[in-house]
Amino acid sequence: MPVFLNTTQPDFEAAFAALLTAKREDSPDVDDTVAAIIADVRARGDAALLDYTARFDRMEITADKIAVSRAEVDAEIAKVPEADRMALETAAERIRAYHARQLPEDQRWTDETGAELGWRWTPVSAAGLYVPGGIASYPSSVLMNAVPAKVAGVARLAITVPTPDGVMNPLVMLAARIAGVDEIYRVGGAQAIAALAYGTETIAPVDKITGPGNAYVAAAKRRVFGRVGIDMIAGPSEILVIADADNDPDWIALDLMSQAEHDESAQSILITTDAAFGRAVAEAVEARLTTLERRAVAGASWRDFGAIVVAQDLEEAAALSNRIAPEHLELCVGDPDALSEQITHAGAIFLGQWTPEAIGDYVGGPNHVLPTARSARFSSGLSVMDFVKRTTLAKMTPDALRAIGPAAETLARAESLEAHGLSVTARLEKLNR
Amino acid sequence: MPVFLNTTQPDFEAAFAALLTAKREDSPDVDDTVAAIIADVRARGDAALLDYTARFDRMEITADKIAVSRAEVDAEIAKVPEADRMALETAAERIRAYHARQLPEDQRWTDETGAELGWRWTPVSAAGLYVPGGIASYPSSVLMNAVPAKVAGVARLAITVPTPDGVMNPLVMLAARIAGVDEIYRVGGAQAIAALAYGTETIAPVDKITGPGNAYVAAAKRRVFGRVGIDMIAGPSEILVIADADNDPDWIALDLMSQAEHDESAQSILITTDAAFGRAVAEAVEARLTTLERRAVAGASWRDFGAIVVAQDLEEAAALSNRIAPEHLELCVGDPDALSEQITHAGAIFLGQWTPEAIGDYVGGPNHVLPTARSARFSSGLSVMDFVKRTTLAKMTPDALRAIGPAAETLARAESLEAHGLSVTARLEKLNR
């Protein structure tokens, strides 16, 4: 059973703080191993990739097989059942439509001095998307990473995906095709991240790397950050449901389990204004845990990190939620829009009882790559913005320089940066001559 | 003398590649030291801050002196000459006006299924700005970090600034006051970053840390990343000037020196379509280097990392610029707007000969915290966006869930995430009952 708290109990603050700071992930320290792999790929290129692929993916291939050919992709895609193909296409279309609205606009204006100011957005030229192999190889994640990149205008989008024992995931290949991925490489682990960052004979380097991965992949991404851009380093999944008594306990139980089934380190929390409803949800969870396919994982997550909190009212619930800064937040209350106005930190909000979080994982339209581990306090989910960058623009006229140049000269002098000031002075002297 | 290249020379490609990959910074490996400092501040709080401040800043203070009082700030500000105060206020106003245009808009719409979708932006609650001490303590940098944070709506903005031997910088205090900074602490180094990230008795923790610093500060920012958000880790400054023959060589020389004077590791490059003009600029630089106050620094930077490149035409110049992805790019040509259309990667563009880069450092309006070391390929300068985060919104109706729920069920099944699917199924069953 998970913890069952009431905000009125004397030790609530300590218990809630423990919930917030529970160390859910014990990342192995793989940094030295990863550093060696990256150095090896930089030094030996494809040859290193082939060695690691033989070792970790039990697959002896030659360099000409690092890239997955179009014909191979076609053959995999042919295996996908029609219903799955249609569902993926529905998801892709909805994700594309949502993200198309995120494209930022260029701006340019003239201020009162006559200076023209503004900025211009340009896409990242080349991006690499890491896709895990095996059980965590999710086609939906391919869409969630690749579609925003293509909406942003990334010209070259490469995927690396390990294929342990040579087994490919047909749905991953189809998702890549639907999203417009340009290149697919059958490599994984830290070696794939090194190849994307530094390039090999077969894989040209990219400018930005996104996508989930295990501890090795995460450590490699941290190491190549700076050489290339990376997205966030995601932790285990989390859901917070705020629900009043007017909900079906079984629906809420399933919503909580839909995160718990991801990972034993996932965290599912219910905050309710009704203690009896909280108990009903706890019972519904236990009932579902007798039959769920992934009951071992979901049960461990729920037992170790799950929680039911009884709050005095929705205002208190919102305040607790803001301290959690959840990745996913369901507002299953009568007026979810009003409650959402009180939410200051959350990756994604699901409004009302007809919006289970799983809709957002697949077909809602918003991205499912979201800030975990309280990082919604300072960061956002993946978006088109991760694949574009801003160049600021400034254009002075002689009049504008006359108006604001002297202030620049003064500040340059105050900061003892003489050449800065002189670059303005030389021009003003010409104007005053 | 810096390298002087012509794109037509046989070994140009190798020489240009060497320029791109020149290792300009030899960061000392201070990671172990920094890890120990952070652990100590986490364990001992203010007591650790006081010890490090005594050791590194040669200043014995008590805990009640960690915060700089309002009266102390007033006393420092009173020392600022009127001209400097006016220049800082001009800069702040222009930076504020520019950044106010960056505030992103919330969106909300209803799609064809009746689902409501959108997103909402909220500010980071608390941000910390690191300000270096000593010679690199720039009031302009205080404005460039603090003004966007306040425009974004950050409620609590704290500054940490070391005051070696107890010496404060009056202009830094004034810039903090003008920008609306809420708290100022006289601590620096890795210990200041640790205090901002984890909090001490005196300093409440923040959610995001920005600002420049030495190798210790940079290593500390990398270490606390994840616990809090950070801005980029900035490298030495860079400028690229693309100039035709129709320029005053002395102006261009001063623009090149305005970056070179920052740091011996700075890099200043001229690309010109006219070899004779390139030689004239080289001579003008030599002339200026005989008198500049910071000629030792600027001369070393120019000698070791400077370059003049003669290109065949502006198109070739733009292509070379895109490979450099410069932090600062001046386009001193007849039609700078046309040329800027060909630029795909640059932190900031300065259009035309009346726009010396130094204008952008102080009073142009755009931010002067910009991506270095070729990172303009994948990142942008500091902006209001660094102090806000997006929460995505989704609200299904029964009809919307009927329309798109089945695709989610299908994909959940394909990904073997049963509870995800069931959370949709349970709701659809109620609808179909």
Side-chain angles (χ1 to χ4, degrees):
Chain A
M1 288 290 289
V3 288
F4 201 108
L5 305 174
N6 193 307
T7 57
T8 57
Q9 71 191 68
D11 63 343
F12 173 75
E13 189 51 42
F16 186 74
L19 207 61
L20 276 186
T21 55
K23 189 168 168 52
R24 292 187 280 135
E25 221 182 6
D26 224 0
S27 303
D29 187 3
V30 297
D31 204 44
D32 289 346
T33 309
V34 164
I37 292 174
I38 293 174
D40 194 22
V41 172
R42 288 185 71 174
R44 298 197 299 129
D46 283 350
L49 289 187
L50 297 178
D51 284 353
Y52 292 115
T53 301
R55 195 155 113 205
F56 297 125
D57 298 334
R58 300 165 301 280
M59 216 172 49
E60 300 278 351
I61 58 170
T62 47
D64 61 315
K65 290 290 178 200
I66 291 173
V68 179
S69 71
R70 198 169 172 83
E72 287 177 286
V73 176
D74 289 341
E76 290 299 316
I77 289 177
K79 301 175 190 166
V80 176
E82 178 66 6
D84 291 11
R85 190 187 59 71
M86 287 178 59
L88 260 190
E89 279 175 0
T90 297
E93 268 164 43
R94 293 188 57 89
I95 297 164
R96 198 174 288 126
Y98 182 93
H99 287 77
R101 293 181 179 247
Q102 292 179 330
L103 273 168
E105 279 178 21
D106 297 349
Q107 283 211 40
R108 185 92 176 242
W109 66 93
T110 304
D111 74 11
E112 67 287 357
T113 70
E116 286 180 51
L117 300 168
W119 59 77
R120 206 153 55 84
W121 294 93
T122 46
V124 168
S125 294
L129 162 57
Y130 187 87
V131 180
I135 192 168
S137 192
Y138 296 132
S140 58
S141 290
V142 174
L143 295 182
M144 291 292 181
N145 281 270
V147 170
K150 280 297 178 182
V151 168
V154 172
R156 183 182 154 242
L157 179 58
I159 276 186
T160 59
V161 54
T163 57
D165 301 307
V167 179
M168 286 199 257
N169 180 330
L171 273 167
V172 162
M173 295 297 146
L174 178 58
R177 174 69 57 84
I178 290 173
V181 168
D182 301 288
E183 304 162 14
I184 304 177
Y185 301 102
R186 63 183 107 227
V187 289
Q191 60 272 23
I193 301 298
L196 289 171
Y198 290 99
T200 69
E201 297 89 329
T202 298
I203 305 179
V206 302
D207 301 308
K208 174 120 188 181
I209 300 176
T210 70
N214 63 18
Y216 292 85
V217 171
K221 281 169 71 180
R222 270 186 193 274
R223 280 214 161 247
V224 301
F225 174 55
R227 167 84 187 192
V228 299
I230 63 169
D231 61 345
M232 68 198 82
I233 307 282
S237 195
E238 309 152 10
I239 189 170
L240 172 62
V241 180
I242 299 180
D244 57 26
D246 197 16
N247 280 281
D248 184 329
D250 184 50
W251 296 9
I252 304 302
L254 285 167
D255 298 351
L256 294 168
M257 288 306 100
S258 74
Q259 294 311 298
E261 74 175 345
H262 266 298
D263 190 336
E264 293 186 0
S265 306
Q267 185 166 48
S268 303
I269 300 177
L270 168 67
I271 302 182
T272 179
T273 44
D274 187 294
F277 178 77
R279 285 189 295 272
V281 170
E283 281 164 28
V285 168
E286 295 310 321
R288 286 289 184 179
L289 279 176
T290 61
T291 60
L292 276 181
E293 286 161 17
R294 296 172 68 91
R295 57 186 175 271
V297 169
S301 157
W302 181 240
R303 181 188 66 231
D304 294 342
F305 304 114
I308 295 176
V309 179
V310 181
Q312 294 301 99
D313 51 38
L314 290 178
E315 201 174 328
E316 188 181 50
L320 293 175
S321 175
N322 289 335
R323 288 176 63 189
I324 294 172
E327 181 191 14
H328 303 102
L329 175 60
E330 282 187 14
L331 301 181
C332 298
V333 298
D335 188 349
D337 284 293
L339 184 55
S340 102
E341 293 294 318
Q342 298 182 50
I343 301 300
T344 53
H345 312 305
I349 298 181
F350 302 87
L351 296 153
Q353 61 179 356
W354 296 103
T355 320
E357 184 279 328
I359 283 293
D361 281 335
Y362 296 116
V363 294
N367 211 286
H368 79 195
V369 181
L370 293 166
T372 59
R374 305 189 62 221
S375 62
R377 290 175 296 125
F378 54 80
S379 63
S380 311
L382 197 72
S383 77
V384 168
M385 303 300 288
D386 289 282
F387 299 100
V388 295
K389 60 265 183 340
R390 182 196 329 95
T391 298
T392 59
L393 303 172
K395 185 180 188 179
M396 297 293 126
T397 59
D399 279 347
L401 196 65
R402 259 195 214 101
I404 67 173
E409 291 177 287
T410 300
L411 292 173
R413 200 174 306 120
E415 292 186 352
S416 300
L417 293 171
E418 187 193 15
H420 283 66
L422 287 174
S423 72
V424 177
T425 306
R427 286 162 167 96
L428 290 179
E429 279 175 354
K430 166 105 177 253
L431 287 176
N432 297 331
R433 215 175 284 155
Chain B
M1 288 288 289
V3 288
F4 200 108
L5 304 174
N6 193 307
T7 57
T8 58
Q9 71 192 67
D11 62 343
F12 172 75
E13 189 50 40
F16 186 74
L19 207 61
L20 277 186
T21 55
K23 188 167 168 54
R24 291 187 280 137
E25 222 182 5
D26 225 359
S27 304
D29 187 3
V30 298
D31 205 45
D32 289 346
T33 310
V34 164
I37 292 173
I38 293 174
D40 194 24
V41 172
R42 287 185 72 175
R44 296 198 299 130
D46 282 351
L49 289 186
L50 296 177
D51 284 353
Y52 291 116
T53 300
R55 195 154 114 205
F56 298 125
D57 298 335
R58 300 164 300 278
M59 217 173 47
E60 300 278 352
I61 58 171
T62 46
D64 61 315
K65 289 291 177 200
I66 291 173
V68 179
S69 72
R70 198 168 172 84
E72 287 177 286
V73 176
D74 289 341
E76 289 300 314
I77 289 177
K79 301 175 190 166
V80 176
E82 178 67 5
D84 292 9
R85 190 186 59 71
M86 287 178 61
L88 260 190
E89 279 175 358
T90 297
E93 269 165 42
R94 294 188 56 88
I95 296 165
R96 199 174 288 125
Y98 182 93
H99 287 77
R101 292 180 179 247
Q102 293 178 330
L103 273 169
E105 281 180 19
D106 296 348
Q107 282 211 40
R108 184 93 177 241
W109 67 94
T110 304
D111 73 11
E112 67 286 358
T113 70
E116 285 181 52
L117 299 168
W119 59 78
R120 206 154 55 84
W121 293 94
T122 45
V124 167
S125 295
L129 162 56
Y130 188 86
V131 180
I135 192 169
S137 191
Y138 295 133
S140 59
S141 290
V142 174
L143 295 182
M144 291 291 180
N145 281 270
V147 169
K150 280 297 178 184
V151 168
V154 172
R156 180 181 157 242
L157 179 57
I159 276 186
T160 60
V161 55
T163 56
D165 301 307
V167 179
M168 287 199 257
N169 180 330
L171 271 167
V172 162
M173 295 296 147
L174 178 57
R177 174 69 56 84
I178 291 173
V181 168
D182 302 287
E183 305 163 12
I184 303 178
Y185 302 103
R186 63 185 107 226
V187 288
Q191 59 274 22
I193 302 297
L196 289 171
Y198 291 98
T200 69
E201 297 89 330
T202 298
I203 305 180
V206 302
D207 301 307
K208 174 122 189 180
I209 300 176
T210 71
N214 63 17
Y216 291 86
V217 171
K221 281 169 69 180
R222 271 186 192 275
R223 281 213 159 247
V224 301
F225 173 54
R227 167 84 188 191
V228 298
I230 64 169
D231 62 344
M232 67 199 81
I233 306 283
S237 196
E238 311 151 8
I239 189 170
L240 171 62
V241 180
I242 299 180
D244 57 25
D246 198 15
N247 279 282
D248 185 329
D250 184 50
W251 295 9
I252 304 300
L254 284 167
D255 297 351
L256 294 169
M257 289 306 99
S258 73
Q259 293 312 297
E261 75 175 345
H262 268 298
D263 190 335
E264 293 186 2
S265 305
Q267 184 166 50
S268 303
I269 300 177
L270 168 66
I271 302 182
T272 178
T273 44
D274 188 295
F277 178 77
R279 285 188 295 273
V281 171
E283 281 165 26
V285 169
E286 295 309 320
R288 286 289 185 178
L289 280 176
T290 61
T291 59
L292 276 182
E293 286 161 17
R294 295 172 68 90
R295 58 185 174 274
V297 169
S301 156
W302 181 240
R303 179 188 67 232
D304 295 340
F305 303 113
I308 294 175
V309 178
V310 180
Q312 294 299 100
D313 51 38
L314 291 178
E315 203 175 327
E316 189 180 51
L320 293 174
S321 174
N322 288 335
R323 289 176 62 190
I324 294 171
E327 181 189 14
H328 304 102
L329 174 61
E330 281 188 15
L331 301 181
C332 298
V333 297
D335 188 349
D337 283 292
L339 184 56
S340 101
E341 294 293 319
Q342 297 182 51
I343 301 301
T344 53
H345 312 306
I349 299 180
F350 303 87
L351 296 154
Q353 62 179 352
W354 295 104
T355 319
E357 184 281 328
I359 283 292
D361 282 334
Y362 297 116
V363 293
N367 211 286
H368 80 194
V369 181
L370 292 165
T372 59
R374 305 191 60 224
S375 62
R377 291 176 295 125
F378 54 81
S379 63
S380 311
L382 198 72
S383 77
V384 169
M385 304 300 287
D386 288 283
F387 299 99
V388 295
K389 62 263 181 347
R390 182 196 328 97
T391 299
T392 59
L393 303 172
K395 185 181 189 179
M396 297 294 124
T397 60
D399 280 347
L401 196 65
R402 259 195 214 101
I404 66 172
E409 291 177 286
T410 301
L411 292 174
R413 202 174 305 122
E415 293 186 352
S416 301
L417 293 171
E418 187 193 15
H420 283 65
L422 287 175
S423 73
V424 176
T425 307
R427 287 162 167 96
L428 290 180
E429 278 173 356
K430 165 104 177 252
L431 288 177
N432 297 331
R433 215 176 285 160

